[in-house]
């Protein structure tokens, strides 16, 4: 049943009295000790939620649900077309597995505050591992399985985990990806070494074990179950690394208390889900969406969550998502627009969807990148339910802009817009000087402090970077890194990053990091990486490189080297497949590379040639190069016309 609250009144109340508003929301959860200071500031001036309170997220997700009578209700439905497995776990089963794995981890010496790195694909054992860490107050850091050993090593050195839990492998379409050799390579590169590596063996690939250090996941499950540890609300629940503008990822920290309160609230108000209802988030547990809406949000709310190991297409076909909705009577579905575009490409008429009974579905939620109006219209027409594009980031951990399905008098979604500010978020569009811009004018999207509960209180071991990257530009605001505008009716449109971050098939990457890899090649004098528009993946990176004088390497060989280097260092998920050799890069007279102008050129957008460009003719050469290779919407559109 919907709360008898209008969107406008709820949003206004959340900004008028944040402490009061969130204290009322916190009262819906079980606290071992009630917070004494709902909202406070630490010695750095950073905001903290619910100081003095004690609780445990794993307890709230499992024990508390069982106490409320959900022992036999499905908590997790694992559906894996790539391994031909379907299995349902009730709340009682998930609790038992979690409590025993926590016991096994404790026997290895894992205690409150220790870090545990999890490198596993979407499989129930990974969810259990996350919940087991939370149970002990250990801080988990899940690393997406598509990341290469170098990225894993960087995260190991930053998080310094006592234990790494990994799968023996994953399955990409019909290709097995053994994970253990990747972990070994990462450990060989890392300075820090964990005490133990716990391996979950899968029947299609067996990992070699290093005696003394490596342990079998199933062995750990033989331990006696342990109860949840009561934790301060401000204690970190997890670290999730995300791409910044350099090669060093940012360790986004989430705490127990604020996170639980925010996610519980969002399950009701944003997604309109009641206990017992079913959510299918087609994301990966390695991303924020997976943390929040495959694992924690659904369980905190007593819902059933579908954990899917596969792709929207080719596992086995473009009807997989719809089969899942029908089979499990899914009420809310969440995916990235790129997944819908992939389905649309293979099944443009939506024939596979039409074969399924989708009557349980009430909403399709999209995030990860802006949903283009064509995809929005196609999905809405096909499914006959509201399509809700909503905006959020790893940093926020839950939506900042949305059309809230669970509140009354909510303006309907509008194509191209991510909707309205979610309660708790005071979203502004600012100019470079930090002043609000009028409706219709594009600016920097910023959120007035304090951010609501659930948002990151800081970066792992890096308060200075937290302040500098997010808070320093405009005092009193969190700078999101996105650009956008608001229309006359109050709808906000997020139009893309204003920094060196790009989104490739819903995966967040740093062009700065790719540039560092290209620049390390002995033949490369300088380079620029652009995120250019792509019909399927939203954006893909393209490198433009200038050779050092006297270099004779062929363009084809250089491109092969660079593609291989990016794949080896970041991973295949970067989809870096094109590097063009150019004579020079366009720059301003002060030496700034005109990346935005080149991107606009590739995307076929109108642009004004900067007056300060040192040599305008170089852009014509780059245009010719892009055209020759058919790169960029400007040229692929022409090619297909
Ligand atoms: N482990 C190992 N490799 C992985 C991987 C993983 N977990 N995830 C991706 N890769 C590899 C792929 O195998 C592929 O390798 P290849 O270049 O050798 O073929 C490469 O990374 C690119 O992967 P991807 O972008 O996923 O391409 P795809 O063709 O396999 O699938 C889509 C295309 C659009 C179907 C897919 O990207 C998709 O489903 N995107 C949605 C993402 C999403 O939901 N994000 C959630 C954020 S909210
Ligand atoms: P991530 O931290 O990986 O979730 O990526 C966050 C980034 O994805 C944001 O900064 C945006 O650039 C982009 N993004 C996420 N959701 C949306 C959306 N609904 N509309 C536009 N961009 C989005």
């Amino acid at each position: 049943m919907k709360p008898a609250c209008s969107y406008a009144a709820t949003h206004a109340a959340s900004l008028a009295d944040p402490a009061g508003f969130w204290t009322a929301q916190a009262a819906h959860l079980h606290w071992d000790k009630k917070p004494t200071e709902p909202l406070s500031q630490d010695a750095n001036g950073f905001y903290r939620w619910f100081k003095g309170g004690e609780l445990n997220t794993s307890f709230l997700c499992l024990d508390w649900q069982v106490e409320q009578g959900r022992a036999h209700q499905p908590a997790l439905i694992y559906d894996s077309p790539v391994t031909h497995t379907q299995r349902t776990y009730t709340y009682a089963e998930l609790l038992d597995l979690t409590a025993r794995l926590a016991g096994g981890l404790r026997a290895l010496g894992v205690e409150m505050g220790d870090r545990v790195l999890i490198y596993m694909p979407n499989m129930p054992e990974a969810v259990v591992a996350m919940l087991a860490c939370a149970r002990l107050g250990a801080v988990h850091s899940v690393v997406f399985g598509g990341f290469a050993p170098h990225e894993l090593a960087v995260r190991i050195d930053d998080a310094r985990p006592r234990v790494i839990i990994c799968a023996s492998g994953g399955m990409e379409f019909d290709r097995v990806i053994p994970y253990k050799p990747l972990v070994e390579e990462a450990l060989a590169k890392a300075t820090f070494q964990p005490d133990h590596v716990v391996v979950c063996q899968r029947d299609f690939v067996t990992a070699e074990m290093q005696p003394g250090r490596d342990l079998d996941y199933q062995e750990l499950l033989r331990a006696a179950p342990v109860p949840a540890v009561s934790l301060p609300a401000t204690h970190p629940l997890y670290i999730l690394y995300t791409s910044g503008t350099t090669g060093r990822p940012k360790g986004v920290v989430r705490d127990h208390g604020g996170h639980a309160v925010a996610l519980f609230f969002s399950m009701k108000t944003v997604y309109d889900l009641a206990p017992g209802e079913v959510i299918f988030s087609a994301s990966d547990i390695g991303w924020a969406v997976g943390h929040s809406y495959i694992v924690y949000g659904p369980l905190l709310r007593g819902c059933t969550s579908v954990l899917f190991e596969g792709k929207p297409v080719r596992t086995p076909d473009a009807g997989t998502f719809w089969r899942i909705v029908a089979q499990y009577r899914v009420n809310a579905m969440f995916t990235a627009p790129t997944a819908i575009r992939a389905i649309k490409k293979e099944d443009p008429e939506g024939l596979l969807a039409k074969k399924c009974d989708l009557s349980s579905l009430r909403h399709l939620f999209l995030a990860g990148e802006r949903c283009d109006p064509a995809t929005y219209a196609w999905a809405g027409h096909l499914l006959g339910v509201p399509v809700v594009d909503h905006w959020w980031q790893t940093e926020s951990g839950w939506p900042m802009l949305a059309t809230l399905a669970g509140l009354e008098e909510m303006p309907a979604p509008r194509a191209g817009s991510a909707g309205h500010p979610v309660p708790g978020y005071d979203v502004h569009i600012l100019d470079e000087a930090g002043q609000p811009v009028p409706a219709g004018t594009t600016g920097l999207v910023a959120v007035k402090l304090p951010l609501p509960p659930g948002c990151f209180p800081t970066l792992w071991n890096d308060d200075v970077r937290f302040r500098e990257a997010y808070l320093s530009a405009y005092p009193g605001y969190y700078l999101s890194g996105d650009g956008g505008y608001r229309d006359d009716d109050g709808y906000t449109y997020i139009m893309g990053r204003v920094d060196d971050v790009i989104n490739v098939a819903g995966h967040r990457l740093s062009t700065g990091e790719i540039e560092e890899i290209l620049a390390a090649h002995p033949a490369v004098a300088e380079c620029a990486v652009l995120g250019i528009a792509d019909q399927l993946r939203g954006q893909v990176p393209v490198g433009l490189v200038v050779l050092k004088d006297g270099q004779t390497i062929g363009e084809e060989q250089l491109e092969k080297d660079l593609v291989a280097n990016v794949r080896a260092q970041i991973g295949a998920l970067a989809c870096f497949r094109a590097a063009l050799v150019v004579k020079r890069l366009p720059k301003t007279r002060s030496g700034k590379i005109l990346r935005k102008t080149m991107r606009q050129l590739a995307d076929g957008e109108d642009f004004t040639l900067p007056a300060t460009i040192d040599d305008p003719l170089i852009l014509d050469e780059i245009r010719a190069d892009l055209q020759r290779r058919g790169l960029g919407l400007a040229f692929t559109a022409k090619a297909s016309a």
Side-chain angles (χ1 to χ4, degrees), residues 307-393:
L307 175 72
F308 171 66
E309 187 184 18
K311 300 259 174 169
V313 291
R314 293 183 280 155
T315 57
D317 59 28
T320 302
F321 278 9
W322 318 131
R323 190 260 306 157
I324 287 180
V325 170
Q327 186 171 340
Y328 305 119
R329 308 297 297 151
V330 169
N331 303 111
M333 185 179 153
F334 188 154
T335 190
T338 189
I340 301 293
R341 286 195 297 270
I343 294 172
K344 181 178 159 204
K345 193 164 163 233
E346 302 218 348
D347 180 21
E349 306 299 322
L351 300 177
L352 295 166
K354 288 175 191 153
K355 281 190 200 156
C356 297
D357 173 5
L358 306 179
S359 57
S360 59
L361 193 67
R362 294 201 296 265
H363 297 94
L364 172 67
F365 294 91
L366 298 175
E369 53 176 327
R370 177 170 180 260
C371 182
D372 53 286
T375 303
Y376 176 90
W378 186 82
H381 182 70
L382 179 71
L383 301 174
V385 297
V387 176
V388 178
D389 179 9
H390 60 335
W391 173 65
W392 55 305
Q393 303 180 305

Side-chain angles (χ1 to χ4, degrees), residues 144-146 172-173 175 177 179 282-283 287 289 311-314 335-336 338-339 342 367-368 505-507 536-537 567 572-573 575 577:
F144 177 62
E172 277 287 293
F173 297 112
R175 178 162 54 105
I177 312 238
Y179 276 30
S283 180
W287 306 122
V289 174
K311 300 259 174 169
V313 291
R314 293 183 280 155
T335 190
T338 189
H507 306 142
L536 174 65
R537 293 187 164 85
R567 206 178 163 91
L573 85 161
C575 288
R577 288 169 189 164

Side-chain angles (χ1 to χ4, degrees), residues 31-296:
W31 292 81
D32 297 329
K33 206 166 138 205
K34 292 254 184 290
T36 47
E37 292 179 70
L39 180 60
S40 55
Q41 282 176 282
D42 65 15
N44 282 311
F46 302 161
Y47 288 95
R48 300 308 312 247
W49 284 97
F50 306 122
K51 249 175 92 178
E54 285 185 16
L55 78 181
N56 181 296
T57 305
S58 178
F59 176 89
L60 292 173
C61 288
L62 300 169
D63 313 59
W64 189 50
Q65 304 302 333
V66 168
E67 280 173 17
Q68 290 175 80
R70 299 196 182 105
H72 304 297
Q73 184 199 303
L76 195 68
I77 298 174
Y78 172 52
D79 189 297
S80 169
V82 287
T83 61
H84 310 287
T85 319
Q86 293 179 348
R87 188 170 162 196
T88 298
Y89 296 78
T90 63
Y91 272 94
E93 284 171 312
L94 204 58
L95 168 59
D96 177 56
L97 288 167
T98 300
R100 285 191 286 127
L101 188 71
L105 288 171
R106 177 171 286 161
L108 296 185
V110 175
E111 289 296 347
M112 178 176 165
D114 286 337
R115 273 80 57 211
V116 174
L117 189 142
I118 300 172
Y119 187 60
M120 299 170 100
N122 272 3
M123 54 196 284
E125 292 84 351
V127 175
V128 169
M130 293 165 78
L131 292 163
C133 291
R135 197 163 189 83
L136 299 174
V139 184
H140 63 67
S141 185
V142 182
V143 178
F144 177 62
F147 278 122
H150 167 79
E151 291 290 324
L152 190 53
V154 170
R155 286 154 175 79
I156 292 170
D157 278 338
D158 197 69
R160 303 170 70 81
R162 185 178 281 274
V163 169
I164 293 180
I165 307 181
C166 71
S168 60
M171 187 77 93
E172 277 287 293
F173 297 112
D174 50 3
R175 178 162 54 105
V176 172
I177 312 238
Y179 276 30
K180 185 73 186 325
L182 304 176
V183 172
E184 295 297 356
E185 210 180 314
L187 287 173
K189 286 172 188 272
T191 315
F192 182 84
Q193 298 295 306
D195 294 348
H196 293 287
V197 177
V198 174
V199 183
C200 186
Q201 300 280 12
R202 308 191 80 188
D203 55 14
F204 55 86
V205 53
T206 305
E208 262 183 50
M209 305 290 270
Q210 196 183 101
R213 187 199 63 184
D214 297 355
L215 295 137
D216 194 297
Y217 186 102
Q218 300 305 327
E219 288 291 321
L220 261 67
L221 285 177
R222 298 221 174 107
V226 295
V229 174
S230 194
L231 301 165
T234 51
H235 183 72
L237 168 67
Y238 68 76
I239 308 166
L240 181 56
Y241 289 92
T242 188
S243 298
T245 50
T246 67
R248 202 161 60 87
K250 293 168 167 168
V252 165
V253 175
R254 200 85 59 209
D255 61 13
H256 273 257
H259 173 253
V261 172
L263 289 194
F264 186 85
F265 173 79
S266 71
M267 288 299 291
K268 290 192 294 179
T269 53
V270 178
Y271 301 102
D272 190 27
L273 287 168
E277 292 195 311
V278 185
I279 178 167
F280 168 31
S281 295
S283 180
D284 188 282
I285 52 147
W287 306 122
V289 174
H291 280 61
S292 296
Y293 295 111
I294 296 175
V295 183
Y296 290 113

Side-chain angles (χ1 to χ4, degrees), residues 240-243 252 287-289 337 366-371 388-397 400-401 416-419 478 480-483 492-499 501-503 506-509 539:
L240 181 56
Y241 289 92
T242 188
S243 298
V252 165
W287 306 122
V289 174
L366 298 175
E369 53 176 327
R370 177 170 180 260
C371 182
V388 178
D389 179 9
H390 60 335
W391 173 65
W392 55 305
Q393 303 180 305
T394 306
E395 288 85 344
S396 67
M400 296 185 273
L401 291 169
S417 165
Y478 161 75
S480 71
D482 279 316
T492 302
Y493 298 73
I494 303 291
M495 302 308 289
R497 300 287 304 198
V498 294
D499 55 13
V501 169
I502 57 172
N503 264 291
H507 306 142
R508 178 166 155 181
L509 298 167
Q539 281 184 307

